[in-house]
Amino acid sequence: MTFTSVVHLIQHCPRLHTVQMTFCATPVDYDNDPFFFKTVPNEKITTLSVGMSPISDPCAMGSILLRLLPKLGHVDFFGWSNDDTPVPPPFQVEHLEDGWDVVNEILADNDHRELK
C-alpha cells in the first residue's frame, strides 16, 4: 500500500480517529496534485501506527502529515527485526526507524509551537 491509501482513508472516513496500517511512506507533491488539494485535514486522527512501514523522505513525510493530520502528535512504529534484510530503493535510509524518529521530532516541534 502507498501513502495515497492513507489519504483516501482521511478523505472518505471523516469520523476516523485511529489508523493502524503498514504502507510505503513516500511523500507526494501535495501542492501540485488535485486529489491532495481537495483533501480536507482530519483533526480527529490523533493516533497513527505504521508498524514497520519503510520511509524515504522523513522531513517531507512529517510536513505532509502535519498538513493532513494537524492533531497528530506522534507516530508509533516498530524497528526492523532483521538488520540483514536488504531495503529496496527508494527506502535506503540507514535505519528506517530513524526516519520515523525524524517525523516524530517534526510533530513534537509543531506541538511546542502551538503551545506558545
Side-chain angles (χ1 to χ4, degrees):
M1 298 226 285
T2 66
F3 182 64
T4 303
S5 303
V6 177
V7 178
H8 280 284
L9 281 175
I10 293 167
Q11 182 179 18
H12 298 290
C13 304
R15 295 180 5 169
L16 190 67
H17 58 83
T18 301
V19 176
Q20 294 181 325
M21 64 186 288
T22 302
F23 58 94
C24 294
T26 55
V28 177
D29 187 357
Y30 184 91
D31 293 323
N32 293 320
D33 187 318
F35 171 73
F36 285 92
F37 184 73
K38 294 180 196 174
T39 302
V40 176
N42 182 318
E43 295 194 7
K44 293 183 179 177
I45 296 178
T46 57
T47 303
L48 176 62
S49 299
V50 298
M52 292 180 10
S53 296
I55 184 168
S56 66
D57 187 342
C59 292
M61 186 57 58
S63 175
I64 292 169
L65 286 173
L66 280 176
R67 293 176 84 174
L68 294 175
L69 307 173
K71 301 293 184 184
L72 182 66
H74 182 80
V75 174
D76 294 322
F77 61 90
F78 302 118
W80 287 92
S81 59
N82 181 356
D83 288 339
D84 295 331
T85 302
V87 180
F91 305 107
Q92 295 174 337
V93 177
E94 188 166 324
H95 297 287
L96 292 176
E97 53 269 12
D98 292 345
W100 288 111
D101 283 335
V102 169
V103 170
N104 282 328
E105 288 173 17
I106 291 168
L107 295 173
D109 286 346
N110 185 62
D111 284 343
H112 292 254
R113 277 183 260 156
E114 287 182 4
L115 295 175
K116 291 181 182 179

